[in-house]
Amino acid sequence: MALLDIEGLSVRFQTSSGLFAAVEGVNINVDRGEVWSIVGESGSGKSVSMLATMGLLPWTAQVTADKMAFDGQDLQQLSSRQRRRIVGGEMSMIFQEPMSSLNPCFTVGTQIDEMIKQHLGGSRKERHERALDLLAQVGIPDPARRIKAYPHQLSGGMSQRVMIAMAISCNPRLLIADEPTTALDVTIQAQILELLLRLQEDTGMALILITHDMGVVAETAKHVVVQYAGRQVEKQDVKSLFANPRHPYTEALLSALPERAGDQDRLPTIPGVVPGQHDRPTGCLFNPRCRYATEHCREVEPVAAPDDPARTLCHYPLEDGISPSPAAAGVARDNPQSSPHREVRP
Amino acid sequence: MFKFFLVKLAQLVPTFIGVTIVAFAFIRLLPGDPILLMAGERGISAERYAELKAQMGFDRSLVAQYFDFLKGLLHGDLGNSLVTHSPVMDEFMSRFPATLELSLFALAFAVIIGLPAGVLAAVKRGKTLDHTVMGVSLTGYSMPIFWWGLLLIMLFSSTLGWTPVSGRISFLYFIDSVTGFMTIDSLIAGDWGAFLSALHHLVLPAIVLGTIPLAVIARQTRSSMLEVLGEDYVRTARAKGLSNFRVIMVHTLRNALISVVTVIGLQVGLLLAGAILTETIFSWPGIGKWMIDAISRRDYPSVQGGLVLIAFIVMIVNLLVDIAYGVINPRIRH
Ligand SMILES: Nc1ncnc2c1ncn2[C@@H]1O[C@H](COP(=O)(O)OP(=O)(O)OP(=O)(O)O)[C@@H](O)[C@H]1O
Ligand code: SF4
Ligand SMILES: [Mg+2]
């Protein structure tokens, strides 16, 4: 039984111009101790799908799923009280903006203590000891002093470390990290990732890492979900994904990696942006940016083939880096540089 | 923190000087003068007028008069009332507790009802309760005090006979003044009946005076709660698996209070201004009524002294609010 088992997750927001399907048909099944990654550009619904799992979306969100279970418990059936026992305790989350994610009115110690008290209990002294331990564990120098600090006295990297300490304080079995390094300096980014992976290994918790950086995926995850405009377009283990991307979007993300661009002068980028609420195309949502798009793609929305383990959301999934799309021949002729990449990174 | 306090205190000095000038000029800009008013309809001879004017010091230049006023002020001497001849300071101090008691009850009424109403409206945003709270508070905010006071008197005092029309306490009781607060003094005297009578007299004026601050506090609480509810750290609090109550009362309200406290502080000035009207309607023997009387008699020392004292109190309250703000907002304290 998977630790987190989600099938057909959809989230719709009530907006002034009607319902907006921010997430549709996302599946993820994380086993104990696994490291997963959700990857996609900004606006592809990565945060929204994980916030839905945690039950943290605002009231304008309508969440539906064919299945949404944590450790065999159906999250949709639980009372909010029962769900709160899981959220924070067994399944916790850290966010993109560490500086604004800590409450400015309370000290670091108070905020960690509150979490421990809620899920583990224990005497004031025990909780204090535990908080000090946690701060040391996440690499905060001089925990005895930092525990009394207010959030505005901490740097971004320190704040994220505090968030991590808080998130692991109750020995969760699953940690969701939503772009934990995006807001940080480049030098700090690597440290925080390293810390997360080390903690994952030490504690054996499962980790879902949200990112838009394929490089991070290669270094961290075992399994990858690729999302585009709220849809899950492909799901594979990391080796096959890098060796054999099935969806043209994944292929494009991979060719944007510096290592893969070879000795080209400029990094290839994907032209255009993820469509938002008001500019979603008909047919395949990726078609305006897809180099294999055909008339069929522009008219008919693709569905995943039932026998495709990657559940690729495409009319013409790539096979060994080659698209069976009639448009593919033209692409190869026009642009010899963009021939499929076969090198395996991880 | 101490330095923060000193800086705030120093900032008050220019404001205070401005206040003395305005208070001094205000009453002299009104047409009419105290001597003519005292003489009444019979009029007064030119010699007698000049004699009285010199006696009161009004024959000197305005600048000289202003500096006399300032000099007295520095010694805590506001001069004597032209009407009663007793020191303005004493007159003020004997009436101030009545105003303070009324204002405190009004403020308590406004906070005790306004704060929870604002919190509830924010939590139930867009629902009927929210619309009700906002509708009622908008009505309260636009209610003219005079009209509102008369309306309540007509309903509760005249028609229903539930509350007295005026005064601070029934004639049946005579309570020694210790604190000047009728409610506290009656408790000190151990006279339960007097205490109830005092409360009874306080209810309507406190409601009338507290209505506008209540509306302001409810609206401010709602809007800052809504703002804070959208903050990342509130999401973090939810992600910790805390109860809804704790998320709202601890993580949200605590931050929302920072701006609510400022607004409450700003209400104090309005409250004292509103007290003048309210005291007139309810014949409440406080400084509001006293100031109105002094203005109509052109009692220069009483008016300028009273204004300066009121301004001083408002400034001190604002200073206390600044300090409270520093205490609840760690970003300022550190
Ligand atoms: N509360 C909301 N109401 C309406 N739309 C929302 C809301 N929250 C998110 N969305 C929309 O849902 C879509 C997906 O947003 P989401 O934050 O999940 O993207 P993301 O993949 O996490 O992007 P990023 O990399 O920028 O974090 C976006 O188009 C966003 O505008
Ligand atoms: S369905 Fe067509 S447009 Fe969409 S990704 Fe596949 S090839 Fe591209
Ligand atoms: Mg996001």
Side-chain angles (χ1 to χ4, degrees), chain A residues 70-90:
Chain A
F70 182 83
D71 199 23
Q73 290 171 283
D74 185 349
L75 293 175
Q76 291 174 295
Q77 296 299 318
L78 293 182
S79 71
S80 48
R81 179 184 293 263
Q82 289 168 319
R83 192 158 177 180
R84 281 200 298 268
R85 223 167 280 150
I86 296 180
V87 168
E90 310 209 10

Side-chain angles (χ1 to χ4, degrees), chain A residues 51 54 56 59 84 87-89 91 93 95 97 100-106 111-112 114-115 118-119 150 152-153 163 166, chain B residues 125-126 231-244 246 250-252 254-255 258 328-334:
Chain A
L51 289 172
M54 291 282 288
L56 296 177
W59 59 279
R84 281 200 298 268
V87 168
M91 169 163 84
M93 185 161 177
F95 305 95
E97 294 288 342
S100 56
S101 292
L102 289 166
N103 193 322
C105 280
F106 302 104
Q111 298 191 53
I112 298 178
E114 184 182 35
M115 178 106 161
Q118 180 80 20
H119 297 281
Y150 283 91
H152 69 272
Q153 298 165 319
M163 284 298 291
M166 202 152 79
Chain B
R125 166 199 9 205
E231 294 282 352
D232 285 351
Y233 54 78
V234 173
R235 186 181 60 194
T236 305
R238 291 220 156 91
K240 288 160 111 174
L242 304 176
S243 68
N244 241 340
R246 206 174 151 81
V250 178
H251 287 268
T252 314
R254 173 67 199 258
N255 285 278
I258 293 173
I328 59 178
N329 188 351
R331 277 165 296 193
I332 295 222
R333 198 180 341 143
H334 290 272

Side-chain angles (χ1 to χ4, degrees), chain A residues 52-269:
Chain A
T53 307
M54 291 282 288
L56 296 177
L57 286 171
W59 59 279
T60 50
Q62 302 170 358
V63 179
T64 55
D66 300 329
K67 190 171 183 190
M68 197 164 159
F70 182 83
D71 199 23
Q73 290 171 283
D74 185 349
L75 293 175
Q76 291 174 295
Q77 296 299 318
L78 293 182
S79 71
S80 48
R81 179 184 293 263
Q82 289 168 319
R83 192 158 177 180
R84 281 200 298 268
R85 223 167 280 150
I86 296 180
V87 168
E90 310 209 10
M91 169 163 84
S92 61
M93 185 161 177
I94 60 174
F95 305 95
Q96 194 165 340
E97 294 288 342
M99 303 282 260
S100 56
S101 292
L102 289 166
N103 193 322
C105 280
F106 302 104
T107 62
V108 164
T110 313
Q111 298 191 53
I112 298 178
D113 183 79
E114 184 182 35
M115 178 106 161
I116 302 175
K117 193 171 169 191
Q118 180 80 20
H119 297 281
L120 300 181
S123 72
R124 175 183 287 264
K125 190 161 170 295
E126 285 163 1
R127 297 198 310 261
H128 184 76
E129 295 291 317
R130 178 159 181 80
L132 285 174
D133 274 356
L134 286 163
L135 289 178
Q137 212 178 334
V138 297
I140 289 183
D142 199 358
R145 193 165 65 86
R146 292 295 182 179
I147 201 167
K148 291 189 224 116
Y150 283 91
H152 69 272
Q153 298 165 319
L154 303 176
S155 66
M158 280 296 155
S159 302
Q160 195 61 292
R161 283 175 200 268
V162 170
M163 284 298 291
I164 295 172
M166 202 152 79
I168 62 165
S169 64
C170 303
N171 308 313
R173 289 194 282 168
L174 170 65
L175 173 65
I176 302 171
D178 185 356
E179 303 197 32
T181 60
T182 309
L184 305 177
D185 288 348
V186 186
T187 46
I188 313 288
Q189 291 187 351
Q191 294 177 11
I192 296 285
L193 276 182
E194 206 174 297
L195 170 66
L196 281 173
L197 291 173
R198 198 195 77 217
L199 291 171
Q200 188 275 327
E201 242 164 57
D202 292 354
T203 62
M205 66 184 173
L207 175 66
I208 298 179
L209 186 68
I210 299 179
T211 175
H212 51 235
D213 184 348
M214 271 291 183
V216 170
V217 175
E219 284 161 30
T220 53
K222 299 282 176 301
H223 303 271
V224 188
V225 167
V226 183
Q227 277 189 211
Y228 184 78
R231 311 295 153 104
Q232 175 179 327
V233 297
E234 146 160 37
K235 184 177 79 169
Q236 291 214 65
D237 70 76
V238 74
K239 278 212 176 68
S240 358
L241 185 98
F242 275 74
N244 257 324
R246 298 271 293 154
H247 196 279
Y249 179 57
T250 316
E251 188 200 36
L253 286 177
L254 288 175
S255 31
L257 279 174
E259 305 86 306
R260 296 218 163 190
D263 42 7
Q264 278 172 263
D265 291 344
R266 308 162 113 246
L267 277 182
T269 52

Side-chain angles (χ1 to χ4, degrees), chain A residues 11-15 18 20-23 38-51 57-61 96 178-179 182 210-212 227 229-230 274-277 280, chain B residues 235:
Chain A
V11 179
R12 291 185 184 76
F13 285 106
Q14 286 170 30
T15 67
F20 167 53
V23 167
I38 303 179
V39 66
E41 287 163 288
S42 195
S44 46
K46 308 179 298 289
S47 300
V48 169
S49 50
M50 285 303 105
L51 289 172
L57 286 171
W59 59 279
T60 50
Q96 194 165 340
D178 185 356
E179 303 197 32
T182 309
I210 299 179
T211 175
H212 51 235
Q227 277 189 211
V274 181
Q277 181 177 3
R280 289 213 166 153
Chain B
R235 186 181 60 194

